Amino acid sequence: MDGVAQLQKQLVDYTASLFQEGFLDEQFNQLQQLQDESNPDFVVEVVSLFFEDSERLLNELAKALEQKTIDFRKVDAHVHQFKGSSSSIGAQRVQKVCIAFRNYCEEQNIEGCLKCLQQVKHEYSLVKSKLETLFKIEKQLIAAGGSIPT
Amino acid sequence: MAPTIESVNQGNGGFEGNNKRSDRFVKATWKNKLTALVVDNGELCRVLERENLRAYGVETVAVETGEAAVELIASGSTFNLIFIDMYLPTMSGPEAVRQIRAMGARSKIIGLTAFITEKDEQDFFAAGIDEFFEKPLDPDWFVPIIREVDNQI
């Protein structure tokens, strides 16, 4: 198998594994479909926005949960945003933790919220690293003269 | 499952929505020129909602706040569709919708939220939205809405 074909296969297999393992869902496909010649870096740009947003939200959540008197409405607002953004790009596992997180918020359950914060941090760092790997393979493929299979 | 390419054209059939409108490949064409306003404070959601609508041939403008949306409409802009988030930082989604309706806007207003709750649903519908959906925008539900609006013009 030549270099380009090998990279293409690697890309296809890696992408498939991300879906199989539940890191990504159908929304990610929708996102890819918005990329075209007039918008060639759309996916990378949007995912970068997601990274920035998530890091900010994780900081805000940590701060909010460290307070002596926790403002659960604030925590809820951040979780709300996090769920919105993660579901919009198809980061399924992050989104699922946000759902649990919100329930604990509603119950004003501090233990539960802290646990979810750890979980969402973990899931976020996993999907971040997976997406970075995905983009790296795409870059290698393009550098080798190939194109991303649609 | 990715939606099939929608095509609504002047009855001459077989036209697959391949026209390049402002350099972008558009997935659907409509009988009328359609416009939409997106109101969302989160940049990621705002960008995605706008791009999704543009990809389906709707001329879309996006703003960050309820106040900006109200101001835009007060200045005379009209939109066939408005997609508005429940949770906006200063003026809430429902409050913005109330003001927009009070100005006589007859746009199809779709309320959006990350988590649907009964209370939010009641508040938002009472304010004057026509539909309420959980994010993200999915062609499975927003394309039929666009088609309905297009057919009613």
Side-chain angles (χ1 to χ4, degrees):
Chain A
M1 220 191 254
D2 85 318
V4 169
Q6 199 165 39
L7 281 167
Q8 263 182 350
K9 181 175 190 312
Q10 197 185 352
L11 183 62
V12 166
D13 289 348
Y14 191 69
T15 309
S17 75
L18 296 185
F19 281 87
Q20 273 155 26
E21 291 164 23
F23 286 103
L24 298 176
D25 66 22
E26 174 58 31
Q27 273 307 120
F28 191 75
N29 281 331
Q30 306 274 16
L31 179 63
Q32 288 176 311
Q33 287 183 32
L34 291 175
Q35 183 160 295
D36 63 13
E37 284 128 32
S38 71
N39 240 337
D41 300 314
F42 187 67
V43 177
V44 170
E45 284 170 7
V46 168
V47 172
S48 303
L49 260 180
F50 173 66
F51 291 162
E52 275 168 39
D53 228 24
S54 303
E55 271 144 42
R56 180 185 54 87
L57 287 168
L58 285 170
N59 279 333
E60 298 287 338
L61 280 166
K63 251 188 358 213
L65 289 169
E66 275 165 17
Q67 301 306 306
K68 272 175 110 176
T69 329
I70 296 178
D71 182 350
F72 282 100
R73 271 183 353 166
K74 224 179 193 164
V75 178
D76 189 58
H78 295 316
V79 173
H80 218 94
Q81 254 212 309
F82 211 170
K83 198 230 178 198
S85 58
S86 57
S87 64
S88 296
I89 68 148
Q92 193 182 63
R93 281 160 63 150
V94 173
Q95 182 196 340
K96 285 200 165 133
V97 179
C98 289
I99 296 173
F101 204 152
R102 186 178 185 263
N103 291 333
Y104 285 122
C105 257
E106 286 243 300
E107 298 166 11
Q108 308 215 340
N109 181 333
I110 301 176
E111 284 292 309
C113 283
L114 288 170
K115 196 180 80 181
C116 279
L117 178 59
Q118 288 320 305
Q119 269 185 301
V120 82
K121 260 187 174 147
H122 177 69
E123 288 300 340
Y124 166 68
S125 75
L126 283 177
V127 78
K128 178 168 195 252
S129 130
K130 302 278 177 184
L131 286 167
E132 285 172 337
T133 303
L134 182 69
F135 294 147
K136 203 169 85 189
I137 304 174
E138 282 183 354
K139 246 180 154 157
Q140 285 171 344
L141 175 58
I142 292 176
S147 59
I148 300 170
T150 41
Chain B
M1 200 59 233
T4 51
I5 292 180
E6 296 281 333
S7 159
V8 178
N9 209 2
Q10 247 71 349
N12 59 355
F15 186 69
E16 280 278 87
N18 283 338
N19 52 323
K20 284 195 178 249
R21 215 178 276 170
S22 29
D23 291 316
R24 119 164 271 148
F25 183 86
V26 173
K27 294 178 197 242
T29 51
W30 309 102
K31 293 184 274 199
N32 301 282
K33 179 181 106 152
L34 296 176
T35 56
L37 174 64
V38 161
V39 191
D40 199 314
N41 191 240
E43 189 180 358
L44 176 64
C45 291
R46 192 169 63 245
V47 164
L48 280 176
E49 285 157 20
R50 185 193 66 206
E51 292 306 308
N52 259 296
L53 291 166
R54 284 181 181 172
Y56 281 89
V58 179
E59 226 172 76
T60 308
V61 155
V63 297
E64 293 179 42
T65 63
E67 288 90 334
V70 168
E71 236 177 82
L72 201 49
I73 291 171
S75 72
S77 299
T78 58
F79 301 94
N80 301 112
L81 299 133
I82 301 176
F83 290 82
I84 179 163
D85 191 26
M86 178 97 201
Y87 288 95
L88 296 169
T90 38
M91 183 188 289
S92 71
E95 181 51 35
V97 170
R98 257 189 294 275
Q99 293 195 22
I100 289 169
R101 286 299 192 206
M103 288 191 273
R106 310 227 326 246
S107 318
K108 181 85 150 175
I109 304 184
I110 296 100
L112 295 172
T113 184
F115 293 100
I116 291 190
T117 66
E118 214 176 295
K119 179 168 193 312
D120 283 352
E121 195 166 6
Q122 283 167 4
D123 287 351
F124 227 169
F125 273 107
I129 59 171
D130 298 298
E131 311 262 6
F132 192 34
F133 280 95
E134 209 166 76
K135 295 184 196 185
L137 248 61
D138 190 325
D140 284 351
W141 61 257
F142 75 74
V143 170
I145 291 176
I146 298 174
R147 187 184 300 118
E148 195 191 315
V149 166
D150 189 44
N151 285 335
Q152 282 170 355
I153 295 176

